[in-house]
Amino acid sequence: MPTRRLPLVFSLACLSMTVVASDALIAPGGRLAVIDTAHLHALVPADVAEALKPRIARAEVIYAAMSKDAGYTPRRLTLLVTDDLDTHNGFSTVTPLPIINVQLAPSLQQSFIFTGHDEFERTLIHELAHHISNDRDPNNFRRTLSHIFGRILPNDPLSLAIAYLSTPAHQTMPSFWHEGGAQWAETEYATSPVWAGRGRDSMTHMVWRMDAAAGLIPPAGDWRLSYHEWPFGARSYIYGVAYTRYLAGAVADRASMWQLIERQQHRWPFAFNGGPEKILNKNHLTLINEARAALMTEELLAVEIVKSKPLTNAKRLTPINGIVGAPAWIDGKLFAAYNSPYGDPKFVTVDATGTLRAAGYNAWLMSPARSLPDGTVIFSDANLT
């Protein structure tokens, strides 16, 4: 067997081991209600169904708008809204059937997906971008096979062969392309006054600046890798959005991001590099090298600007010999979990003079606190004594 075929065979072997367990999506014993719109079949927790109706109506509007921009004809999509985890996330797949899952729990401050406001809509946009990209298949041969056999999760050589010939090709593209496109969509369709998607997020730019200053912006051949580099995110996310951000700006006069995604849909599974050649006369490797050079120039300039400014001197409000959790602000005071060396962890308030006062809550988990736009403060009050 020629060695150049080995990556494809390995990728297909990995695909053959894919397993989807229904009980991973719906917790046993959970009661769900149904909310139907023109294109969405929403399954939501029954006890908050009325409160979620405006969100599902908004989801329908977003789905229709994104589909129109992408030139995609929206088909019936199952939207599963769950509230069985303590942290926020989402999920999308189109095989064997299209479904999106969005968790209702808020995101933690230390996460790259923390927005400060309305993670539900941001994650919905992110997952809809995945769905629209992966569901459409313009190849008539693959689409015909899919209509005959369905979308297959392979578990033997025959089903593996049929899956390769019938699966929508875009879902087999590298993860950095998937996550870059979804984060581009977050940025493009962002409506929050607080947060404008990871393409314009200050933490993402901080990572790029730090990598540029240290000479650690990865070479083009490594941008498609998925391993964790920073504690709060994977390289495929951080540099996936760097790539799609570059494309959205540098080639916008020739092709939109949706058009570039559509070109990948015409490829055969795992055949990524040549996707943009028909409309840009360049392959991805060439474009990634251009994106890397542009990012390096941009961030090194930002580093020089930062270096030219005097250091900010700030007064530390919390004691030096203690540990403080991620804070929230309440009426001009810091509200945070505080673990002093002399007692049990407690939530405290800290005013502008540095005076600490007990807030009356335990903080054994050193839970981050967060403020919502309506003034609500969310934190975990745990007592392990």
Side-chain angles (χ1 to χ4, degrees), residues 290-350:
E290 293 178 4
R292 184 182 186 276
L295 183 66
M296 182 73 79
T297 300
E298 175 189 0
E299 298 306 331
L300 287 178
L301 177 60
V303 169
E304 291 305 313
I305 293 173
V306 171
K307 287 181 177 179
S308 70
K309 303 298 181 182
L311 293 176
T312 300
N313 293 313
K315 177 183 177 182
R316 180 183 174 117
L317 297 181
T318 53
I320 294 174
N321 57 350
I323 301 173
V324 182
W329 289 94
I330 304 175
D331 298 328
K333 296 179 181 180
L334 202 67
F335 176 82
Y338 172 57
N339 187 7
S340 79
Y342 309 112
D344 295 338
K346 302 286 185 182
F347 276 95
V348 299
T349 59
V350 188

Side-chain angles (χ1 to χ4, degrees), residues 40 59-75 77 92-94 98-100 124-138 151 168 170-171 178 181-182 184-185 189 257-259 261-262 265:
L40 294 174
E60 169 67 29
V61 172
I62 293 171
Y63 185 28
M66 292 178 67
S67 297
K68 181 179 179 181
D69 290 348
Y72 166 80
T73 302
R75 64 169 176 148
L77 171 63
S92 171
T93 186
V94 298
I99 186 171
I100 283 176
L124 178 72
I125 292 171
H126 183 105
E127 302 305 340
L128 283 173
H130 283 318
H131 169 74
I132 293 170
S133 301
N134 294 331
D135 187 59
R136 178 170 53 186
D137 193 341
R151 291 180 177 173
H170 195 274
Q171 65 179 325
H178 285 284
W184 162 81
Y189 294 95
M257 270 304 303
W258 285 124
Q259 288 174 312
I261 289 169
E262 191 265 345
Q265 294 167 342

Side-chain angles (χ1 to χ4, degrees), residues 22 24 26 35 99 125-126 144 150 178 203-204 212 230 235 239 241 288 294 344 359:
S22 60
I26 303 175
I35 303 175
I99 186 171
I125 292 171
H126 183 105
T144 299
H178 285 284
M203 185 177 285
T204 304
W230 277 72
R235 179 174 285 185
Y239 286 99
V241 71
I288 291 172
D344 295 338

Side-chain angles (χ1 to χ4, degrees), residues 88-92 101-103 123 127:
H88 182 78
N89 216 323
F91 175 80
S92 171
N101 171 230
V102 180
Q103 284 282 343
T123 300
E127 302 305 340

Side-chain angles (χ1 to χ4, degrees), residues 247-260 263 276 279-280:
L247 292 175
V251 304
D253 58 332
R254 289 175 285 166
S256 70
M257 270 304 303
W258 285 124
Q259 288 174 312
L260 292 172
R263 289 311 311 164
I279 50 179
L280 298 180

